[in-house]
Amino acid sequence: MRILPKSKQSKQSKQPTKSILERSVGQKPGSLTVSAQALPPRLFLVTFNEKMYDAQEFGDYDSLMRAFQKFPEARHWIDVRGYGNVPLLERIMIDFQIHPLQMEDVINDYQRPKVEEDHNRLFIVSRMVAFTPDHKVDDDQLSIFTGSNYVITFQSDYEDCLDPLRERIRVGKGAIRKKSAMYVAYAILDVVLDHYFPAMAQLGEYAEELEDCLFENPSKKLLSQILDLKREVVKIRRIVWPERDKINEIMRMDEQTIPHELKIYFKDIYDHAIQLIDLVDNYKEITSSLTDLYLSNVSNRMNEVMKVLTIISTIFIPLSFIVGLYGMNFSRENPRGGINPLNMPELYHPYGYVTLLCVMGVIVSGMVYYFYRKGWLSNQ
């Protein structure tokens, strides 16, 4: 499966600007306010049944509606990409009886995954996830509305992960062109969840790379990368859990909304959501263990440094004692001209200096040999 790269312009359009958020405070419910960076809408229509297939991009909404009404017996997938035209969104809202509060949730573009039922029609919010080359979890909102013979999807970006589904509809692979519009909604959710797995695999590979680096060079920069990864895991966890709850709620709906023969399909993607939760929890534990491993490695390196310094200090302790002993200024001769026989007589021995160096060398060699036999000089 392939996730298309996202343009720089589309990245900017995903985040609501501060001014938009400020204007939304105190507005009446259902007010439609879009960001100044929102992309101009692109309108796509896929019309199909067992015998026919047609997919077009329309330059205006009226042409799309004429093509939509031309085949009332077929199934239709209306795909709106971009929110930069409020009057157009208001027309869609009126023509397809979308509640203003739901359209407001579409435009806000930062809703958690959820599902709402209204007269046997569904409003579904999902989040499309990808793991970017800069090791961030990129998530885009996908809003889905279902009807008797149509599905409408809204997204703020021009690129998405739904091309495999479009290709399946085009070639007529499987039963999708024979099924109802609700089955198309299921197929969209299935593709969205399937794209979580490559993202999770890339996240896992990155975690393994960090683990390998921990043993080579546990630097502060590496700790920062681990903490960033931990935040990304928490982010994707906040997405996956509502996805599971949303699908579970769909499975519990009555048969007038979700026919019995479709519930087995939703149960399949429910199982996928459970698998994703297990993966996320596993990676959450891995990132926590990476932090512990970093602290352990740093502590071990510090212990190694302290061990070396301790060995060096221990070796020099007797040497310092000897040097300090012979540095004491006790006079060999007394003021009366006599000799003090107990005041370091070896100072005047002709081989005293060499003898003392040999003694110090023997002491150092003996201590090093002792430390070696104890295994204190080993890195193991």
Side-chain angles (χ1 to χ4, degrees):
M1 296 181 181
R2 182 171 60 95
I3 299 177
L4 296 175
K6 303 197 177 289
S7 64
K8 182 176 180 181
Q9 182 182 12
S10 63
K11 287 285 185 184
Q12 296 175 347
S13 66
K14 293 193 303 177
Q15 300 296 335
T17 62
K18 182 177 179 181
S19 60
I20 292 297
L21 295 177
E22 290 175 347
R23 288 202 301 270
S24 65
V25 175
Q27 287 187 348
K28 68 177 183 178
S31 299
L32 304 184
T33 305
V34 300
S35 169
Q37 290 82 28
L39 299 177
R42 295 179 63 182
L43 305 175
F44 299 85
L45 175 64
V46 180
T47 301
F48 60 92
N49 56 27
E50 296 183 50
K51 300 179 180 179
M52 61 90 62
Y53 167 85
D54 182 66
Q56 298 184 54
E57 179 179 3
F58 294 89
D60 62 277
Y61 179 67
D62 292 330
S63 300
L64 183 145
M65 287 302 296
R66 286 194 295 269
F68 172 77
Q69 296 168 355
K70 185 177 179 180
F71 300 98
E73 75 287 351
R75 266 81 68 194
H76 306 273
W77 178 6
I78 301 174
D79 189 10
V80 181
R81 309 181 201 175
Y83 301 148
N85 189 332
V86 173
L88 171 62
L89 299 177
E90 290 175 341
R91 290 187 62 186
I92 297 176
M93 182 178 66
I94 294 173
D95 291 343
F96 292 93
Q97 300 178 356
I98 298 174
H99 197 281
L101 290 178
Q102 295 176 339
M103 185 58 74
E104 184 182 21
D105 289 344
V106 170
I107 293 178
N108 285 339
D109 202 33
Y110 50 84
Q111 302 295 319
R112 67 192 295 272
K114 65 177 182 177
V115 59
E116 297 176 2
E117 181 183 6
D118 181 22
H119 297 89
N120 298 330
R121 300 184 305 173
L122 298 182
F123 168 48
I124 305 172
V125 174
S126 286
R127 305 207 69 84
M128 300 179 290
V129 169
F131 196 66
T132 62
D134 58 346
H135 311 303
K136 301 294 182 182
V137 174
D138 177 31
D139 65 307
D140 296 312
Q141 179 170 313
L142 178 67
S143 304
I144 306 170
F145 292 90
T146 66
S148 58
N149 67 334
Y150 65 85
V151 171
I152 308 176
T153 56
F154 292 89
Q155 53 185 309
S156 62
D157 217 341
Y158 290 156
E159 308 293 347
D160 58 25
C161 63
L162 301 178
D163 284 343
L165 177 59
R166 297 186 181 98
E167 182 64 15
R168 281 172 50 196
I169 297 176
R170 186 186 69 83
V171 301
K173 187 177 180 179
I176 190 167
R177 286 169 64 168
K178 303 177 183 178
K179 298 289 187 178
S180 64
M182 189 63 71
Y183 182 88
V184 178
Y186 146 76
I188 293 173
L189 294 178
D190 182 50
V191 172
V192 169
L193 278 181
D194 281 347
H195 275 81
Y196 279 64
F197 288 98
M200 297 299 296
Q202 293 170 358
L203 189 149
E205 292 175 358
Y206 180 54
E208 292 178 358
E209 293 176 6
L210 293 180
E211 185 177 10
D212 294 338
C213 293
L214 275 176
F215 293 100
E216 298 175 1
N217 183 24
S219 61
K220 291 183 178 180
K221 181 180 179 181
L222 188 60
L223 176 60
S224 176
Q225 293 174 330
I226 293 173
L227 295 178
D228 288 341
L229 177 63
K230 190 173 184 179
R231 283 191 290 268
E232 298 305 311
V233 172
V234 171
K235 177 181 178 181
I236 199 170
R237 188 175 187 272
R238 290 200 305 266
I239 297 173
V240 173
W241 275 91
E243 286 284 354
R244 186 204 67 168
D245 296 338
K246 174 192 69 181
I247 300 170
N248 186 42
E249 187 174 350
I250 293 176
M251 292 172 56
R252 295 176 180 272
M253 292 179 178
D254 57 48
E255 292 194 8
Q256 292 181 347
T257 304
I258 305 296
H260 179 74
E261 61 271 14
L262 287 183
K263 289 189 176 182
I264 189 172
Y265 294 103
F266 284 101
K267 186 179 184 302
D268 178 65
I269 58 175
Y270 179 80
D271 293 338
H272 293 174
I274 296 296
Q275 295 174 21
L276 288 171
I277 289 175
D278 291 339
L279 284 174
V280 170
D281 290 342
N282 183 39
Y283 289 140
K284 186 173 182 293
E285 294 178 2
I286 289 176
T287 53
S288 298
S289 65
L290 286 178
T291 306
D292 296 338
L293 182 60
Y294 169 82
L295 297 176
S296 176
N297 284 343
V298 170
S299 178
N300 289 339
R301 292 186 65 184
M302 181 62 68
N303 290 340
E304 289 294 325
V305 173
M306 294 303 299
K307 183 179 74 172
V308 172
L309 295 178
T310 301
I311 291 175
I312 294 174
S313 300
T314 304
I315 290 174
F316 275 90
I317 285 175
L319 304 185
S320 300
F321 171 76
I322 295 174
V323 172
L325 180 65
Y326 282 95
M328 294 186 295
N329 296 320
F330 290 104
S331 176
R332 174 69 171 166
E333 298 179 358
N334 58 41
R336 295 186 296 273
I339 300 298
N340 297 323
L342 298 179
N343 283 3
M344 300 183 183
E346 62 271 20
L347 290 178
Y348 292 92
H349 192 280
Y351 299 106
Y353 176 69
V354 176
T355 301
L356 187 59
L357 289 179
C358 291
V359 170
M360 295 172 68
V362 170
I363 292 174
V364 171
S365 301
M367 296 182 70
V368 171
Y369 178 73
Y370 176 78
F371 294 152
Y372 174 77
R373 291 297 301 270
K374 287 289 186 178
W376 295 353
L377 301 181
S378 174
N379 292 327
Q380 300 297 327

